[in-house]
Amino acid sequence: MRQEFERYGLGSCRVIAAVLQLAGAAGQILGLSYPLIGCFASGGLALMMFVALLVRKRIRDRLHQSIPAAVYLAGNLYLAAASMYR
């Protein structure tokens, strides 16, 4: 994973990205009981995946390399919307 962040030119952001992902995952779990927290957590993770897609576009990755980020973006957008109406 370290090599991937270096390839993106974001080596210094690796730890903060991991912390934000763990916080988002914890927020999604809390969202099972507190939907507002789940909405914000899913929205934050969706934002991270959107930025990930922009980074992959900037470094000219192939489409198949961007598919996981796009799938996670779509999934987190769905979870954010679903928790808003819960």
Side-chain angles (χ1 to χ4, degrees):
M1 202 60 171
R2 181 183 298 214
Q3 293 170 345
E4 286 292 301
F5 272 86
E6 294 297 331
R7 186 171 72 90
Y8 305 150
L10 300 171
S12 62
C13 298
R14 186 171 50 91
V15 173
I16 195 160
V19 169
L20 289 173
Q21 288 174 355
L22 289 171
Q28 285 181 325
I29 292 170
L30 281 173
L32 295 171
S33 297
Y34 305 100
L36 185 61
I37 293 173
C39 181
F40 283 116
S42 295
L45 288 170
L47 179 62
M48 286 182 69
M49 292 302 102
F50 179 73
V51 171
L53 285 173
L54 292 178
V55 168
R56 288 199 176 270
K57 181 174 172 50
R58 187 187 75 171
I59 64 171
R60 293 185 167 87
D61 270 354
R62 294 193 172 131
L63 179 63
H64 75 276
Q65 293 173 301
S66 301
I67 289 174
V71 169
Y72 286 125
L73 171 61
N76 280 300
L77 284 175
Y78 172 79
L79 289 174
S83 63
M84 281 182 8
Y85 297 108
R86 185 171 166 224

